[in-house]
């Protein structure tokens, strides 16, 4: 699967910058974060949201650089749906944390 997703990223390099489903364009703020969004993002990224499971996963990621697939999905899902943050704001900081970062896998999973 790794090679498959790497090839897809090669063929569609916009995976990292554009929504795969164009119907989601402009659904969320995708420019600079507002003060409130920045507060939410910082709490999420530092593992201080007040949701113990989310916070434990994020802190573990900071400590080890790795989470299993389900926990990665949960972190992104929480930030996207509970905090209403765009995946475009989540991608680069997560990429810096993952020791097994591969853009071809990372960006399609964010969306």
């Amino acid at each position: 699967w790794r090679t498959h997703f790497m090839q897809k990223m090669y063929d569609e390099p916009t995976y990292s910058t554009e929504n795969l489903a164009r119907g989601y364009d402009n659904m969320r703020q995708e420019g600079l974060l507002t003060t409130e969004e920045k507060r939410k993002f910082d709490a999420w990224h530092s593992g201080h949201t007040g949701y113990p499971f989310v916070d434990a996963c994020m802190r573990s990621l900071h400590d080890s650089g790795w989470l299993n697939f389900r926990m990665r999905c949960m972190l992104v899902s929480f930030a996207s749906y509970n905090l209403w943050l765009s995946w475009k704001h989540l991608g680069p900081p997560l990429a810096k944390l993952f020791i097994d970062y591969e853009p071809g896998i990372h960006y399609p999973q964010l969306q």
Side-chain angles (χ1 to χ4, degrees), residues 4-5 8-9 23 33 44 47 57 62 67 69 72 75 78-79 83 88 98 109:
H4 166 77
F5 282 106
K8 286 183 71 92
M9 183 73 169
L33 293 173
W44 173 79
C57 286
H62 277 277
L67 284 176
F69 175 73
R72 292 176 190 216
L75 285 178
F78 180 85
L83 303 180
K88 294 176 184 179
F98 293 138
Q109 288 177 353

Side-chain angles (χ1 to χ4, degrees):
W1 285 108
R2 183 174 187 270
T3 306
H4 166 77
F5 282 106
M6 289 171 64
Q7 181 65 48
K8 286 183 71 92
M9 183 73 169
Y10 178 81
D11 293 338
E12 294 289 339
T14 59
Y15 273 5
S16 63
T17 58
E18 297 178 8
N19 293 316
L20 295 174
R22 305 309 294 184
Y24 292 111
D25 288 351
N26 302 313
M27 178 181 260
R28 292 179 172 87
Q29 164 65 12
E30 295 181 353
L32 294 175
L33 293 173
T34 66
T35 302
E36 179 63 15
E37 288 169 332
K38 178 75 169 121
R39 185 190 63 74
K40 290 177 182 179
F41 174 84
D42 289 343
W44 173 79
H45 190 259
S46 66
H48 292 94
T49 64
Y51 290 83
F53 190 60
V54 172
D55 295 344
C57 286
M58 186 57 83
R59 291 177 190 174
S60 177
L61 178 58
H62 277 277
D63 288 344
S64 69
W66 188 86
L67 284 176
N68 69 39
F69 175 73
R70 297 283 180 220
M71 298 308 99
R72 292 176 190 216
C73 292
M74 186 273 305
L75 285 178
V76 172
S77 177
F78 180 85
S80 295
Y81 294 104
N82 294 73
L83 303 180
W84 204 247
L85 298 171
S86 171
W87 64 268
K88 294 176 184 179
H89 297 296
L90 310 176
L94 286 174
K96 290 178 184 176
L97 292 174
F98 293 138
I99 60 172
D100 60 345
Y101 171 70
E102 168 54 55
I105 295 172
H106 182 72
Y107 282 102
Q109 288 177 353
L110 281 173
Q111 297 191 43

